[in-house]
Amino acid sequence: MSDAEKQKQLLELLAKSCKFIVANLTAIEKEMYIFAIKGQKEKVVHASQTLTAVSLLLKDYPEPKDAYVPRKYPDSFKQKVTDEKMLKLIATTDAVLALVRGKIVPIIKLVQAGKVSARVSSDVIKINHVLKTYIASLTVNKEAST
């Protein structure tokens, strides 16, 4: 296999990894709200820790251009999640998620443009691993609870 073919294959793999990352960030966000409504604080904490781990992997990347605007939760959500600590954890995790998304977008653009360094490749793979570990832990926890 030539170097050009290897590079093309790597870019395809990284593009799939980026799609996986984006899809799973969205899934974590949705799950976090569901866990909060169900009062499953340990799962919200786990989601928050996962996003924090991803944000630490992205710490050396530029800050997002747009300032974070805290999310305003609908009254229906606040009525279901009455624990103030849980609401603060959700708000903090939303901020971390916004930071992660803001830093991931330029990486995705680099991958799409084919301008990937070894560091970017490595970081995409590490983030992918963190998210796969999170998903696997949910599956194990779900099986253990049945």
Side-chain angles (χ1 to χ4, degrees):
M1 188 180 294
S2 72
D3 286 343
E5 290 171 326
K6 288 179 184 177
Q7 183 68 15
K8 182 181 176 190
Q9 196 173 33
L10 174 65
L11 287 173
E12 288 172 359
L13 178 64
L14 290 174
K16 286 180 184 178
S17 292
C18 287
K19 286 180 183 179
F20 176 85
I21 290 168
V22 170
N24 282 285
L25 291 176
T26 301
I28 288 173
E29 178 182 29
K30 289 177 182 177
E31 289 169 349
M32 180 180 64
Y33 295 129
I34 292 168
F35 295 150
I37 289 169
K38 291 182 176 181
Q40 297 174 323
K41 187 173 183 175
E42 68 284 345
K43 290 186 177 182
V44 175
V45 169
H46 187 53
S48 179
Q49 290 170 337
T50 299
L51 291 172
T52 301
V54 172
S55 74
L56 290 173
L57 290 171
L58 296 169
K59 71 180 185 307
D60 294 333
Y61 289 88
E63 293 296 315
K65 293 177 184 174
D66 298 331
Y68 172 68
V69 178
R71 183 172 293 197
K72 294 191 184 335
Y73 303 102
D75 289 337
S76 60
F77 182 75
K78 291 179 185 176
Q79 289 168 354
K80 293 175 184 172
V81 182
T82 56
D83 181 353
E84 283 299 316
K85 288 182 181 179
M86 179 77 81
L87 287 171
K88 286 181 183 177
L89 177 60
I90 293 289
T92 301
T93 305
D94 270 339
V96 172
L97 181 61
L99 176 69
V100 167
R101 283 181 170 150
K103 288 187 172 197
I104 282 288
V105 170
I107 292 172
I108 292 170
K109 288 180 181 177
L110 286 174
V111 170
Q112 290 172 338
K115 299 177 181 177
V116 181
S117 67
R119 177 179 162 227
V120 169
S121 297
S122 174
D123 289 343
V124 167
I125 292 166
K126 288 176 188 173
I127 291 166
N128 218 347
H129 177 71
V130 168
L131 294 174
K132 283 183 179 181
T133 301
Y134 171 77
I135 292 166
S137 74
L138 289 180
T139 305
V140 169
N141 288 341
K142 188 175 185 179
E143 290 171 358
S145 66
T146 55

